[in-house]
Amino acid sequence: MATEKTVRELWQAILFYGEFDRMPVLHWTGWPETKERWYREGLPRDVGEHQFFNASPLWHGVGVDLNLRPAFAEETLQETAEYRIFRAADGVVQQAWKGRSSIPHFIDFTLKTAADWPEYRRRLQPDPARVPVDLDARIRQAAASNLPILVPTASMMGWIRNWMGVVNMSYLMYDDPDCYADMVNTLAELVCWGLDQVVPRMQALGVQPDLGFGWEDICGKTGPLVSPAIFERCVAQGYRRIRDRLDHYGIRLYGLDSDGMVEPLTPNWMAAGINLLFPVEPGTWGATPEHFRKRFGRELRIVGGYDKLALEKGPAAIDAELARHLELMREGGLVILPDHLITPDTPLANYRYYLERVRTLRL
């Protein structure tokens, strides 16, 4: 009897169009309110979610600390029973609500113009202290997980947007694009330095990473916050520098997490070396992995693509949403997954039904 593929082997077979007959059963996460509902409906608080669902995490990451170093000192400016206003570790003054999940309300920024950039640039330099002291142990743990092994590639746009806010970043792109390009290059240089610290050590221990993966969240439901023209002038070279370093180490997948309507930037991302997107969001703006395959071909891989809102509606809707992706799942290049955080209107029974349908699915 043939040995069943590990989750990592299954990912590799799917994303490189090899032989496979099933999808990995993956659990990402839900909103805190979703988990509270599930606790009321029988999810044990003292058992790990992946164990309870008999499902796997998406991947296992190993890398250096790519954040601001040193971080800004956190400082509480105002606190009430409902919210807290504070300067966070990234220098952003924000209002965070208590007792409910929401994106914090950004109030003020330490990084506003090109004049403020040198202080951030100073905090984004290579430093041996960024390398985990237990790096070898982390590498061995990743290998033992039998999950895809990820090396982080930070963010060329989304972190800058977080640090500055959309308005300040938009003015900077117009007023001083060279400064914006320097921000991107600084981040790319730090990422490449980090890869040089981690990947050779991995390979010396007989472990080959499966993908580099970054985060952006640079698109809303009507399109990107950075134009393709600005991308080509200021951002593309950062991605290409990282892509070249990944190629140097034989890492064939370069993935990206960006919510929203990503399609207008996808050709630019692909030209700069991105070949995997997560998520594609049918429930937010009507995207489908089938449309992306038709437009961009097999070189662009997709993780996601399952409309999470179907999980709210029950077995018939869950089955119908799976059925409409069967043909592309069989072709390869698509790892099916709900397109974002599971919503609080999803009953635990519905979600378990979805996972069981994926578990028993044969392609």
Side-chain angles (χ1 to χ4, degrees):
M1 180 181 294
T3 303
E4 190 172 87
K5 286 182 169 65
T6 66
V7 173
R8 185 183 183 200
E9 291 169 339
L10 194 54
W11 272 74
Q12 292 167 341
I14 293 169
L15 295 181
F16 290 108
Y17 303 97
E19 294 185 1
F20 60 93
D21 66 350
R22 60 191 175 94
M23 285 283 124
V25 183
L26 303 174
H27 169 61
W28 187 32
T29 190
W31 288 100
E33 290 86 350
T34 309
K35 294 182 182 181
E36 288 301 320
R37 172 182 180 145
W38 288 352
Y39 291 141
R40 294 192 301 270
E41 294 176 346
L43 176 66
R45 292 181 182 269
D46 58 349
V47 175
E49 289 180 33
H50 293 98
Q51 179 182 347
F52 176 78
F53 289 128
N54 190 23
S56 299
L58 274 67
W59 37 52
H60 194 116
V62 181
V64 304
D65 177 7
L66 298 171
N67 295 300
L68 295 169
R69 191 179 184 96
F72 288 91
E74 188 168 305
E75 177 186 7
T76 298
L77 304 176
Q78 181 182 350
E79 187 163 10
T80 72
E82 295 181 335
Y83 61 82
R84 176 181 174 232
I85 297 176
F86 64 102
R87 187 181 306 277
D90 59 3
V92 178
V93 176
Q94 53 191 269
Q95 181 183 36
W97 295 94
K98 299 178 178 180
R100 69 187 193 200
S101 298
S102 65
I103 297 172
H105 170 52
F106 290 179
I107 296 173
D108 198 9
F109 303 90
T110 303
L111 177 59
K112 297 179 181 178
T113 70
D116 305 315
W117 168 235
E119 177 59 28
Y120 276 71
R121 200 179 200 283
R122 180 180 71 83
R123 297 170 187 258
L124 291 167
Q125 298 305 306
D127 182 342
R130 292 181 178 274
V131 181
V133 296
D134 60 343
L135 179 59
D136 285 5
R138 295 188 186 200
I139 293 170
R140 292 188 178 98
Q141 185 181 27
S145 74
N146 288 322
L147 298 173
I149 298 174
L150 171 156
V151 285
T153 56
S155 168
M156 302 295 101
M157 297 177 285
W159 286 5
I160 299 169
R161 186 277 317 279
N162 280 354
W163 297 335
M164 300 192 75
V166 173
V167 173
N168 289 328
M169 185 181 76
S170 299
Y171 276 112
L172 180 74
M173 288 187 293
Y174 181 83
D175 293 335
D176 199 337
D178 289 341
C179 178
Y180 184 55
D182 186 57
M183 293 177 174
V184 172
N185 284 328
T186 298
L187 285 162
E189 289 170 3
L190 181 60
V191 168
C192 289
W193 174 85
L195 293 173
D196 290 341
Q197 311 313 302
V198 171
V199 181
R201 189 61 198 156
M202 282 183 163
Q203 294 175 336
L205 293 172
V207 179
Q208 175 62 25
D210 296 294
L211 72 161
F213 193 79
W215 175 90
E216 293 298 0
D217 276 11
I218 201 66
C219 301
K221 64 181 180 180
T222 58
L225 302 175
V226 175
S227 73
I230 286 291
F231 183 98
E232 289 304 317
R233 177 173 178 178
C234 301
V235 183
Q237 71 268 16
Y239 284 105
R240 291 189 179 109
R241 183 174 298 182
I242 296 169
R243 172 78 267 180
D244 288 346
R245 196 61 56 91
L246 294 172
D247 286 342
H248 173 74
Y249 290 121
I251 302 171
R252 297 167 60 190
L253 294 176
Y254 185 7
L256 193 66
D257 176 341
S258 187
D259 302 341
M261 185 182 283
V262 299
E263 186 173 351
L265 273 184
T266 299
N268 305 82
W269 270 322
M270 292 185 69
I274 297 294
N275 58 0
L276 185 150
L277 288 181
F278 163 73
V280 165
E281 299 181 280
T284 300
W285 53 278
T288 67
E290 289 77 14
H291 169 73
F292 273 64
R293 175 61 54 82
K294 183 176 181 180
R295 179 174 176 188
F296 300 112
R298 287 160 62 98
E299 178 59 21
L300 182 65
R301 286 81 164 176
I302 298 293
V303 177
Y306 183 98
D307 184 357
K308 65 180 178 292
L309 298 183
L311 302 174
E312 300 178 359
K313 301 171 185 176
I318 291 168
D319 287 343
E321 178 64 12
L322 270 178
R324 75 168 178 149
H325 300 304
L326 276 176
E327 182 177 349
L328 190 58
M329 282 191 277
R330 292 186 177 115
E331 181 180 333
L334 168 66
V335 174
I336 202 72
L337 187 74
D339 59 7
H340 211 277
L341 301 179
I342 307 303
T343 61
D345 288 331
T346 301
L348 177 62
N350 285 10
Y351 188 59
R352 296 185 74 180
Y353 178 85
Y354 159 78
L355 292 174
E356 193 59 29
R357 295 293 292 126
V358 175
R359 192 183 328 280
T360 58
L361 182 68
R362 292 298 176 264
L363 301 170

